[in-house]
Amino acid sequence: MHGCMVKSGQCNVARTDFRHMPSFSSRNASSAPFRIGLAANRSHQQGPDSALAQLLTGSRHSIEQQLKPQLVVVGRTLDAMQQLGLLEHYPHIERFPYGRHGGLMKLVSRVVDADPARTLDAVIYLMDPVDPSSTFPEAVALKRQCVIHGKPFLSTLAGAREWLELEAMAAGAAPNPALDPTFELAQEGIALIAHDAMKDRMLDIAERHFALLDQFAFRCATGTTGSLLNKLAQKIKGEQAGRNWVKPFLSGPLGGDAQIAELILDRQQCRRVLFLEDPHVARQHEADIQLLERAARTVPDYALCISDAECGERWLTLLQQRAAQNQSLAPRP
């Protein structure tokens, strides 16, 4: 999910090409390990079935054998990992203070740090939407600075699991068969949303990745973005075929985000959201934006939300590779 632009339709790019795509902060995943900030709200730390346990157990091979990242872990989250025996022999872990002692604040500082030996390439913060700490200034700033600096901010189990899977494959790993069902795009839906200043970028991304987006069973968008995407689809597929390529809902300020949130909560219609945010302007409908993110965090094992263009480019590119891998392994009729 770093910034990389690949023309749509290139489903069968060789794996070696993906290993040499640009990565966060101009790093190459094959020559330098990721530095990943890791935190989880309390409810996501408790017990062997918690989101933290599911993530680190299910993605253990990707972490320990393929990506081998430096994990910068906030204190209570690391305590939970040790109590549950998660990554117990993994050597590349740095402890940060407890959140109440500034652990999240220090993660924000590391996101913006220009020193390649200190800066974070991504943040996994498993957020509980009913935990008040998820709305503290440091939590909001952590996400905002990730968006500004083009670094993934992964706040759900589904999002973190998918990101680790895609990056591990980009580094040469075989796909995890347990995740195959989530990459059957013909059974999946995706929401495409963009603030006013980002609508042109959304159209540019959608055009480049049109072949991938066209594989989804269902596409939706809010207001003007939906209309613009349908015009793009008409240009590519023809006036009739592209007319309803995207289902347009109301604009965000009028409730479109809430309509899409309901689809996410249904767990059957919209697993993925690409929401291109403009973090530099005041947003009068901030509550609606938060509602959509909150919906994804309410079903954290199902939904994920990507919040900036740079990460979205890489995500869609690697998603294309993973979906193509699924198709190549599918039994022939």
Side-chain angles (χ1 to χ4, degrees), residues 15 18 22 27 61 85 133 165 193 203 214-216 232 248:
R15 182 173 294 166
F18 281 87
R27 286 182 168 204
H61 183 271
S133 68
E165 166 77 355
I193 306 168
L203 290 174
D214 199 43
Q215 295 178 42
F216 280 88
L232 172 66

Side-chain angles (χ1 to χ4, degrees), residues 256-266 288 291-293 295-296:
D257 293 324
Q259 291 178 303
I260 293 176
E262 182 177 6
L263 299 180
I264 294 170
L265 293 169
D266 284 345
D288 302 288
L291 177 78
L292 188 56
E293 295 179 337

Side-chain angles (χ1 to χ4, degrees), residues 81-290:
M81 289 169 58
Q82 293 170 344
Q83 290 167 8
L84 294 170
L86 302 171
L87 303 182
E88 55 187 337
H89 300 300
Y90 189 68
H92 309 301
I93 293 178
E94 178 182 355
R95 173 185 280 273
F96 262 16
Y98 283 73
R100 64 177 180 269
H101 296 148
L104 282 180
M105 297 180 198
K106 291 189 68 174
L107 286 184
V108 180
S109 177
R110 290 293 184 92
V111 167
V112 306
D113 199 316
D115 184 349
R118 289 169 51 86
T119 191
L120 296 177
D121 299 296
V123 171
I124 297 173
Y125 182 15
L126 301 177
M127 301 179 78
D128 176 358
V130 300
D131 188 323
S133 68
S134 66
T135 63
F136 286 0
E138 55 266 43
V140 175
L142 185 57
K143 186 225 171 169
R144 183 174 182 271
Q145 290 302 330
C146 282
V147 173
I148 290 172
H149 291 271
K151 298 178 179 182
F153 180 81
L154 306 153
S155 63
T156 68
L157 169 60
R161 185 165 50 196
E162 180 160 301
W163 182 75
L164 289 168
E165 166 77 355
L166 295 179
E167 290 299 336
M169 285 194 64
N176 180 357
L179 298 181
D180 283 351
T182 67
F183 294 102
E184 293 291 342
L185 302 187
Q187 309 298 322
E188 298 286 336
I190 187 170
L192 304 168
I193 306 168
H195 288 147
D196 288 345
M198 303 301 294
K199 292 190 190 305
D200 287 344
R201 186 70 186 274
M202 175 63 84
L203 290 174
D204 184 50
I205 290 173
E207 185 169 13
R208 246 192 322 278
H209 297 277
F210 192 87
L212 171 69
L213 295 172
D214 199 43
Q215 295 178 42
F216 280 88
F218 174 79
R219 292 158 297 276
C220 63
T222 53
T224 304
T225 304
S227 299
L228 292 172
L229 287 169
N230 278 334
K231 289 179 181 178
L232 172 66
Q234 287 179 297
K235 183 180 76 172
I236 295 173
K237 294 171 69 77
E239 185 173 351
Q240 287 301 119
R243 185 181 301 275
N244 298 310
W245 190 68
V246 166
K247 180 177 181 179
F249 287 102
L250 296 171
S251 69
L254 294 179
D257 293 324
Q259 291 178 303
I260 293 176
E262 182 177 6
L263 299 180
I264 294 170
L265 293 169
D266 284 345
R267 286 179 171 263
Q268 294 181 345
Q269 299 187 66
C270 191
R271 182 190 302 275
R272 296 173 175 90
V273 178
L274 177 59
F275 192 154
L276 301 189
E277 296 185 29
D278 180 0
H280 299 290
V281 298
R283 297 172 290 191
Q284 294 180 349
H285 62 294
E286 181 70 28
D288 302 288
I289 299 166
Q290 293 176 358

